[in-house]
Amino acid sequence: MDYDILISGGGIAGLTAAAAFGSAGFSVLCVDPAPPVTDREAAGADLRTTAFLQPARDFLDQCGLWARLDGHAMPLQVMRIIDAGGARPEPRVTRD
């Protein structure tokens, strides 16, 4: 099979791009060398929260994806930004 688009990377950006192009009618192949982690107890599970700001939410809605995610979403209450750059990898500035 021929593909219109190859997405390299099955993280949140790659999967979103693949779904968006697919919903626009393109034939898409998304590849990642690591198998997907589908169990929260599995090694390599990433339980971090992902915040979608309004433009990203609108984009997901236009692609037909937001309806599938909406039931799992919660409004953002606090975003904490920590600057840990510099010579020593330790928090220098924290803002909520």
Side-chain angles (χ1 to χ4, degrees):
M1 175 176 197
D2 290 333
Y3 295 97
D4 298 318
I5 298 172
L6 170 76
I7 305 289
S8 178
I12 193 164
L15 291 175
T16 300
F21 284 124
S23 70
F26 292 96
S27 174
V28 181
L29 177 63
C30 182
V31 297
D32 194 304
V37 178
T38 59
D39 181 356
R40 67 182 296 131
E41 305 301 326
D46 183 353
L47 301 178
R48 294 178 291 175
T49 298
T50 299
F52 293 110
L53 299 180
Q54 194 62 43
R57 188 210 168 279
D58 292 344
F59 175 72
L60 293 169
D61 195 29
Q62 290 173 6
C63 297
L65 296 173
W66 186 250
R68 297 185 70 183
L69 300 173
D70 189 28
H72 304 283
M74 295 182 63
L76 181 64
Q77 295 176 348
V78 175
M79 180 182 286
R80 175 167 290 164
I81 307 296
I82 300 172
D83 178 1
R88 295 192 330 244
E90 60 185 34
R92 298 180 306 167
V93 178
T94 301
R95 295 286 186 269
D96 289 342

